[in-house]
Amino acid sequence: QVQLVESGGGLVQPGGSLTLSCAASGNIFSIKAMAWYRQAPGKERELVARAPTDGIADYTESVKGRFTISRDNAKKLLYLQMTGLKPEDTALYYCNADIWVSRWISRNYWGQGTQVTVSS
């Protein structure tokens, strides 16, 4: 009933920049908090950044000052602007959102992921 689709991943050189997008569609009454997660091979999935409906966004310490999360509620889009990329940022990035599908029901959804590879 609801889908999250990420895009914008790719191969970039260390120190480069990349912006990821997440489009939400389907039976959406309203979108609550949205977030970006990432998972590298052999490692557990970790939270990268969160964008509450209202309030200040927060980031994991390793990306503070380099990544910026933002959202366009009207277009139901979530973005992750990444700068100063490092090899350790290489991972499959996932979009996550807590969505109200009606006035009474909220559910959590995951996107399929988009690959970000930082290498020379």
Side-chain angles (χ1 to χ4, degrees), residues 42-61:
K43 297 183 179 179
E44 295 186 0
R45 186 173 300 184
E46 67 170 342
L47 175 66
V48 178
R50 294 183 69 254
T53 303
D54 294 307
I56 303 174
D58 56 83
Y59 306 83
T60 188
E61 289 296 329

Side-chain angles (χ1 to χ4, degrees), residues 40-108:
K43 297 183 179 179
E44 295 186 0
R45 186 173 300 184
E46 67 170 342
L47 175 66
V48 178
R50 294 183 69 254
T53 303
D54 294 307
I56 303 174
D58 56 83
Y59 306 83
T60 188
E61 289 296 329
S62 64
V63 308
K64 285 184 177 179
R66 299 188 298 119
F67 291 11
T68 300
I69 188 171
S70 62
R71 55 191 288 177
D72 184 330
N73 292 326
K75 296 181 179 180
K76 298 182 177 63
L77 293 172
L78 177 70
Y79 303 98
L80 183 66
Q81 184 176 1
M82 306 181 290
T83 60
L85 286 164
K86 305 174 181 179
E88 52 262 45
D89 292 319
T90 295
L92 186 63
Y93 284 70
Y94 295 92
C95 176
N96 177 264
D98 190 26
I99 297 173
W100 286 102
V101 296
S102 74
R103 290 186 175 85
W104 304 97
I105 304 172
S106 65
R107 292 171 177 156
N108 188 259

